[in-house]
Amino acid sequence: MFKLLHASFEGTKAAFASIRAHALRSALTTLGIIIGVAAVITVVAIMQGLSHSITSQLDDLGSDMVTLRAYTPTNQQMLGQFNRLHHDDFLTLKSRVSQVEDMTATMQAFSMGSQVHYGRNSAQTQIIGTDSSYQNVVRVYPELGRFLSSSDDDRRRRVAFIGSSLIQKLDLPDNPVGEFINLSGDWFRIIGVAESRGSLFGFDQDNYIIAPFSTIRALNGERAARNIDILFRPAAGANPEQVQQQMRSILRQRHKLAPDDPDPFEFISAERMIDQFNSITRSITLVAGGVVSISLLVGGIGVMNIMLVSVTERTREIGIVKALGATPQFILLQFLVEALVLSLFGGIIGLALGAGIASFIGLMLPAMPEALVPLWAILLSIGFTTMIGVVFGLAPAIKASRLNPIDALRYE
Amino acid sequence: MARNVIRLHQVNKSYLMADEMFYALRNIDLCIAENDYVAIIGPSGSGKSTLMNVLGCLDTPTSGQYQLGEHDVATLNETELAELRNEAVGFIFQSFNLLPRATVLANVMQPLVYRLMPNKTRQAMALEALQRVGLADKTGHLPNQLSGGQRQRVAIARALVTRPRILLGDEPTGNLDSKTTKDIMALFDQLHQEGHTIILVTHEQDIAEHCQRVIRLVDGQVAEDIRNNQGAQLHV
């Protein structure tokens, strides 16, 4: 035991001396591992940063908001049939479901396209028709002016509540309240501007126009007027599952579905989106991790290759130290430590490099959130490179320890 | 009569070469006493190198017994042989065999790395050995910054540093010019006078003349084993 400790200590010293003596070759040997680990850490850091930022942004949106919308299975879509939710569905739910804090209906302004004009300027945007409850459900607050009121909806007023980025896109005055914008021929008066929400996944979240539901429905006409989305927030203390279940049975009854028909609608909650998103990032991380493991394997083979060459090149040296009394175990340990240190070194450099690249990417792309290197990734890459060092260092180390001293001394 | 440090009894060494047995050593019986000064001579192929490898515990005999000090060498495994080499044998090679990237001091300290002792002690012992060969001022040099004679002195210091039972020289002056050869041989003579047991393998007659005893090998057998007082002329 004491002997082994002594041999480990001296072997480590010898290994470091040899690495220092061949600094360039050592660096090249470990390059494969550096690149491999750097790639893993970059991918993981970016994915983790993305996942962290999206989770927190979705949390901000309100994790308890639920969207109820029509759902059409793909095979039915191919036949050109689309399920829809109607305004009557919304009215029924609103009158019959009590465990809800607030509920609103939204409708896309299909017939109007998505062009908005102001003076000579025009912009692409998203036009949504909804009622005053939208503000409570989605938690959108006016920075300037006011949100829609119920009388706007009752009287089909042509008023618009706009997202903040439209001010710049349309070159509106700093306070655009009272200005008129044109939506495919119809004039709308701006009554308010929303607080900025920033961007999510790199998409601008402040490019939209909200107009009264009844106005949009009237302008849409009969053609595409039917489909709506219903947004709601379960009441505090209510069980969201139960609320959804209640809505489900009311809707199934209204749509006269047979017991084994699938739901023609679906509930989407922020929580579910977070789950889905996390499962996507998890699989991307896994796939990237798998690809990169292969590159680490190649890096390990690189270490083994160079170590084998190094053993051959140092045959005479090995012969000398064997003549001087180095035991086979000592030589084995020295070469094993050398491989281990090389690959561990590569792992640590790769770790730093990967973290650096990831935060550089985070800095360069404004839409990109800050990179995060989780502890498990650090431990995993260190552990993995250690394993590579041992596994791929073993063959050269055994070769070195088994050299016959007489032949090794004669080796030119 | 001094105690025997080396005792070979009926030692054979054979190799399988291209499906044919090659007998490098045949029934060698040999004793070497403490503080003896021995030259092993013989034509090439006579088994000099094989005998040297067996004496230096780099190789084990195919049959027979080899006693080095209190160790029965023929029964030892690789690890035990390495430990015995470290403890009992000091090698001096024709081509010096210094570690090229290590300093003079590190080269001399190298055999002590395999012994459990503080680094300070190793340095002190190495310095002492370098002083003995007159190179205490070259500790920081690399081998390629030294002349051939100086390199061989470093190698001798490295052999001395472990205080071995025997010093084994394999053509120690084979790569040196005649003046340096004289210096190195004078050093061996001194070491002998200080009590070291020295065995030199050589094919040079004037080297053998320095020794007290000359063993001539022919075809793997001891053909001649003579005491050589006052530098008698020898037939090599």
Side-chain angles (χ1 to χ4, degrees), chain A residues 293-403:
Chain A
S293 313
I294 293 170
S295 85
L296 275 182
L297 203 70
V298 174
I301 293 168
V303 168
M304 177 161 76
N305 185 24
I306 301 285
M307 289 299 294
L308 283 171
V309 171
S310 164
V311 169
T312 307
E313 202 184 273
R314 280 146 71 184
T315 297
R316 196 180 173 98
E317 214 172 292
I318 294 165
I320 295 170
V321 297
K322 281 198 157 188
L324 297 181
T327 58
Q329 295 87 316
F330 193 100
I331 307 268
L332 182 90
L333 219 63
Q334 178 187 334
F335 277 85
L336 204 55
V337 168
E338 202 172 316
L340 193 71
V341 168
L342 276 181
S343 63
L344 204 57
F345 221 58
I348 290 168
I349 293 175
L351 197 65
L353 195 66
I357 292 173
S359 48
F360 183 71
I361 291 176
L363 282 178
M364 292 309 286
L365 302 179
M368 216 58 188
E370 198 184 333
L372 275 182
V373 184
L375 186 66
W376 61 261
I378 296 174
L379 295 179
L380 201 73
S381 50
I382 296 291
F384 204 67
T385 47
T386 307
M387 201 184 74
I388 281 181
V390 172
V391 168
F392 290 100
L394 206 55
I398 288 175
K399 186 184 168 197
S401 73
R402 287 197 182 153
L403 282 177

Side-chain angles (χ1 to χ4, degrees), chain A residues 2-3 6 10 13 21-22 316-317 320-330 405-406 409-410, chain B residues 53 58-59 78-79 82-83 85-86 91 93 95 97-99 101 110 113-116 119 122 158:
Chain A
F2 211 60
K3 251 184 185 168
H6 166 234
E10 295 295 344
K13 275 208 309 202
H22 304 100
R316 196 180 173 98
E317 214 172 292
I320 295 170
V321 297
K322 281 198 157 188
L324 297 181
T327 58
Q329 295 87 316
F330 193 100
I406 298 167
L409 276 171
R410 242 183 256 144
Chain B
N53 289 338
L58 289 167
D59 213 346
E78 281 262 346
T79 305
E83 284 164 354
R85 284 196 294 273
N86 185 253
F91 284 101
F93 300 97
S95 48
N97 277 341
L98 299 176
L99 299 174
R101 280 181 304 273
Q110 190 65 36
V113 164
Y114 311 110
R115 294 189 181 181
L116 193 60
N119 216 33
R122 286 181 193 147
R158 183 178 66 184

Side-chain angles (χ1 to χ4, degrees), chain A residues 41-354:
Chain A
I41 294 298
T42 306
V43 170
V44 167
I46 288 175
M47 291 317 292
Q48 287 293 313
L50 211 57
S51 156
H52 181 78
S53 116
I54 282 165
T55 306
S56 64
Q57 286 189 50
L58 288 177
D59 269 342
D60 285 350
L61 280 184
S63 56
D64 42 356
M65 187 186 89
V66 182
T67 304
L68 169 59
R69 68 175 187 204
Y71 169 74
T72 309
T74 321
N75 52 355
Q76 197 187 327
Q77 279 183 27
M78 310 238 271
L79 298 172
Q81 300 170 344
F82 290 89
N83 291 324
R84 290 194 165 130
L85 285 175
H86 304 262
H87 194 231
D88 289 345
D89 291 324
F90 166 68
L91 294 176
T92 311
L93 288 177
K94 192 156 186 167
S95 63
R96 286 181 55 187
V97 180
S98 54
Q99 295 273 65
V100 160
E101 187 188 306
D102 215 335
M103 185 185 283
T104 187
T106 68
M107 174 185 279
Q108 303 277 335
F110 293 110
S111 65
M112 301 165 73
S114 50
Q115 280 278 345
V116 54
H117 299 271
Y118 173 74
R120 273 187 231 156
N121 304 313
S122 68
Q124 288 285 330
T125 189
Q126 185 192 12
I127 303 165
I128 305 161
T130 187
D131 58 23
S132 57
S133 296
Y134 184 88
Q135 182 175 20
N136 296 330
V137 178
V138 184
R139 306 255 147 100
V140 53
Y141 301 105
E143 172 90 43
L144 295 165
R146 62 169 180 88
F147 194 72
L148 304 177
S149 67
S150 43
S151 72
D152 292 330
D153 197 35
D154 292 344
R155 300 183 184 187
R156 295 191 191 170
R157 283 192 187 122
R158 303 206 168 182
V159 292
F161 182 78
I162 64 171
S164 56
S165 62
L166 277 174
I167 294 182
Q168 195 224 331
K169 283 190 187 221
L170 291 175
D171 200 16
L172 287 161
D174 284 345
N175 184 350
V177 174
E179 298 292 324
F180 283 85
I181 51 177
N182 192 305
L183 299 175
S184 57
D186 292 293
W187 293 97
F188 283 70
R189 187 166 55 84
I190 296 173
I191 54 166
V193 180
E195 284 178 346
S196 173
R197 285 194 295 198
S199 59
L200 181 62
F201 300 101
F203 293 111
D204 185 3
Q205 290 197 93
D206 295 308
N207 183 10
Y208 58 89
I209 294 174
I210 293 172
F213 185 85
S214 54
T215 314
I216 297 297
R217 186 163 65 152
L219 289 172
N220 265 349
E222 281 307 300
R223 207 153 41 92
R226 297 210 180 85
N227 193 37
I228 61 164
D229 291 345
I230 297 169
L231 312 178
F232 67 94
R233 219 171 252 278
N239 180 344
E241 287 299 317
Q242 257 173 19
V243 175
Q244 289 182 19
Q245 201 51 45
Q246 193 190 358
M247 291 184 169
R248 206 171 149 250
S249 45
I250 293 170
L251 286 176
R252 287 185 69 89
Q253 219 172 7
R254 270 190 56 83
H255 287 249
K256 300 187 171 63
L257 296 173
D260 52 349
D261 284 343
D263 286 341
F265 49 82
E266 60 181 344
F267 293 93
I268 296 165
S269 59
E271 219 168 291
R272 224 189 102 198
M273 280 168 72
I274 291 174
D275 282 353
Q276 276 180 349
F277 181 77
N278 279 343
S279 81
I280 291 169
T281 49
R282 230 189 337 271
S283 33
I284 292 176
T285 307
L286 274 178
V287 169
V291 170
V292 162
S293 313
I294 293 170
S295 85
L296 275 182
L297 203 70
V298 174
I301 293 168
V303 168
M304 177 161 76
N305 185 24
I306 301 285
M307 289 299 294
L308 283 171
V309 171
S310 164
V311 169
T312 307
E313 202 184 273
R314 280 146 71 184
T315 297
R316 196 180 173 98
E317 214 172 292
I318 294 165
I320 295 170
V321 297
K322 281 198 157 188
L324 297 181
T327 58
Q329 295 87 316
F330 193 100
I331 307 268
L332 182 90
L333 219 63
Q334 178 187 334
F335 277 85
L336 204 55
V337 168
E338 202 172 316
L340 193 71
V341 168
L342 276 181
S343 63
L344 204 57
F345 221 58
I348 290 168
I349 293 175
L351 197 65
L353 195 66

